[in-house]
């Protein structure tokens, strides 16, 4: 799949330093073994290939939408908007073990769901009423490990 029809697609990969760089999809997935681990040829064992996060796949291949089904428990209220107003909040995230997403609030305070294909993902959820305590005055995420 990634080496075939979409292999030459340019994707943005976020490195451990938070900087994003462009890479071909086939090059990115080439860092992974069949079991989801990383190939030993990776130059940086801590984060050898970065984290592909927020790839708006529909912009690159409309046929992928056919593989994307909204589960019965979720409702896509954006589907009620005119097509030109659709924010396209359908993304693919792909990364090696240990990939992290920093503390954040989903865009437009949306409710999201996730399909985990392989591995584990730990989520820490906070009540909306606690939002004011999760960010400092400048809008930067607080260190939630501190009391």
């Amino acid at each position: 799949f990634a080496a075939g029809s979409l292999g030459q697609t340019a994707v943005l990969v976020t490195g451990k330093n938070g900087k994003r760089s462009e890479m071909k999809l086939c090059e990115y997935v080439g860092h992974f073994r069949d079991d989801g681990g990383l190939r030993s040829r990776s130059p940086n064992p801590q984060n050898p290939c970065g984290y592909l996060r927020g790839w708006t796949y529909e912009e690159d291949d409309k046929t992928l939408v056919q593989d994307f089904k909204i589960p019965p428990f979720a409702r896509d209220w954006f589907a009620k908007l005119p097509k030109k107003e659709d924010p396209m909040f359908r993304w693919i995230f792909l990364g090696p073990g240990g990939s992290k997403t920093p503390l954040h609030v989903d865009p437009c305070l949306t409710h999201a769901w996730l399909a985990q294909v392989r591995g584990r993902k730990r989520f820490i959820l906070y009540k909306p009423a606690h939002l004011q305590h999760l960010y400092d005055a400048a809008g930067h995420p607080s260190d939630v490990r501190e009391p």
Side-chain angles (χ1 to χ4, degrees), residues 21-128:
S21 59
E22 191 172 286
M23 182 182 290
K24 287 187 176 17
L25 183 59
C26 64
E27 179 185 353
Y28 179 73
V29 298
H31 288 282
F32 295 92
R33 296 187 314 248
D34 289 340
D35 66 0
L38 295 166
R39 297 187 187 280
S40 59
R41 65 181 162 85
S42 299
N44 176 355
Q46 294 291 12
N47 194 1
C49 59
Y51 188 28
L52 192 165
R53 60 186 188 98
W55 173 32
T56 311
Y57 59 90
E58 291 178 62
E59 293 176 353
D60 295 313
D61 188 342
K62 301 259 186 247
T63 63
L64 287 177
V65 176
Q66 298 166 9
D67 295 327
F68 180 85
K69 301 289 184 241
I70 296 173
F73 63 81
R75 292 187 195 136
D76 183 4
W77 291 351
F78 292 121
K80 296 179 181 202
L81 295 172
K83 191 66 176 163
K84 66 180 181 180
E85 302 295 327
D86 186 346
M88 293 189 61
F89 286 163
R90 293 172 293 277
W91 301 306
I92 291 177
F93 290 73
L94 179 65
S99 296
K100 295 177 173 58
T101 300
L103 176 68
H104 68 280
V105 174
D106 284 344
C108 302
L109 300 176
T110 56
H111 300 285
W113 59 273
L114 173 117
Q116 183 79 21
V117 177
R118 175 176 280 164
R120 298 184 313 229
K121 190 75 165 170
R122 179 179 174 201
F123 288 87
I124 301 173
L125 305 175
Y126 297 92
K127 294 179 181 182

Side-chain angles (χ1 to χ4, degrees), residues 103 131-137 139-146:
L103 176 68
L131 185 61
Q132 64 189 5
H133 304 294
L134 298 176
Y135 292 88
D136 65 18
H140 301 106
S142 300
D143 185 349
V144 294
R145 297 169 294 184
E146 296 294 323

